[in-house]
Amino acid sequence: MMQKQQSPLPVPAGFRQVEDGRLREVVGLGLDDLVPGLVIEHRPARTVTEAEHVQVLALMGNEAPVHSDIEYCHSTGHPRVLVCGMLTLNIVLGMTVRTTSGMTTGNLALDEVRWKKPVHVGDTLSARSTVLSARRSNSRPEQGIVTCRVDGFNQRGELVVTGTRTFFVPADPDVVRDATGY
């Protein structure tokens, strides 16, 4: 009796097959994936916690009372302390890394950063990247240079921070994935 061969399992989007029956998550996109005009909504969203707010203030040595003194905030028209803008920016940028620059070999620029609305402990942030440009590097042809506008939103969909980020990505991500195990 002839045995029926099993067909290979389909590989879902966002994964690659590393051997029969074993998948690995894809981290980072390559140059050909990041085409100008592409918009990526990053998930999961992140709620800003009191612990990370206080910890970042301590690590940065930021003693501005608008971030730590509720009475100061009340007397200057703020109902609550404001989350440090650098924490807001870093949370939003961090959400973009897995997809856009998960295999980067370096950041090149962070430009035109603007904080648009205050962020408070307990706010939930989400991020969106829009690819503005992508090209092969002249000095490192195995790399691409990508510029994205990164926008961060609160739970009400209000823009809280925006800016552009330029970074390297592999021109051929599979070469990097094979060499590094990613």
Side-chain angles (χ1 to χ4, degrees):
M1 185 166 145
M2 194 171 161
Q3 255 189 332
K4 185 178 177 183
Q5 274 192 324
Q6 289 185 353
S7 62
L9 296 173
V11 178
F15 293 86
R16 67 187 197 119
Q17 187 167 339
V18 291
E19 62 183 42
D20 283 343
R22 192 169 127 221
L23 304 176
R24 183 170 294 144
E25 288 181 282
V26 172
V27 175
L29 297 173
L31 182 59
D32 291 340
D33 302 314
L34 294 163
V35 296
L38 176 67
V39 177
I40 301 167
E41 293 186 359
H42 304 281
R43 296 296 184 268
R46 281 267 322 277
T47 301
V48 182
T49 68
E50 179 81 24
E52 61 195 358
H53 170 68
V54 171
Q55 188 175 34
V56 163
L57 293 179
L59 288 170
M60 292 175 56
N62 185 337
E63 297 178 0
V66 74
H67 299 309
S68 60
D69 182 338
I70 191 64
E71 296 307 320
Y72 176 89
C73 290
H74 287 161
S75 68
T76 58
H78 297 287
R80 298 183 281 164
V81 297
L82 303 179
V83 168
C84 175
M86 296 309 293
L87 175 57
T88 300
L89 178 63
N90 279 290
I91 288 172
V92 168
L93 288 176
M95 284 188 238
T96 71
V97 168
R98 181 170 191 78
T99 304
T100 61
S101 61
M103 292 190 299
T104 190
T105 57
N107 284 305
L108 299 172
L110 186 59
D111 295 303
E112 302 170 5
V113 175
R114 300 288 182 269
W115 287 270
K116 300 295 201 170
K117 293 250 185 209
V119 172
H120 303 281
V121 169
D123 282 350
T124 298
L125 303 176
S126 61
R128 181 177 67 205
S129 295
T130 303
V131 180
L132 301 177
S133 66
R135 66 171 178 83
R136 194 173 288 263
S137 170
N138 294 326
S139 61
R140 297 182 184 184
E142 73 284 356
Q143 296 288 316
I145 297 174
V146 175
T147 300
C148 291
R149 185 180 64 246
V150 177
D151 297 318
F153 301 90
N154 64 18
Q155 66 275 12
R156 292 176 297 281
E158 299 167 327
L159 181 67
V160 296
V161 66
T162 187
T164 60
R165 178 173 170 239
T166 303
F167 49 92
F168 284 121
V169 296
D172 185 344
D174 288 332
V175 168
V176 175
R177 288 182 181 119
D178 292 342
T180 62
Y182 276 81

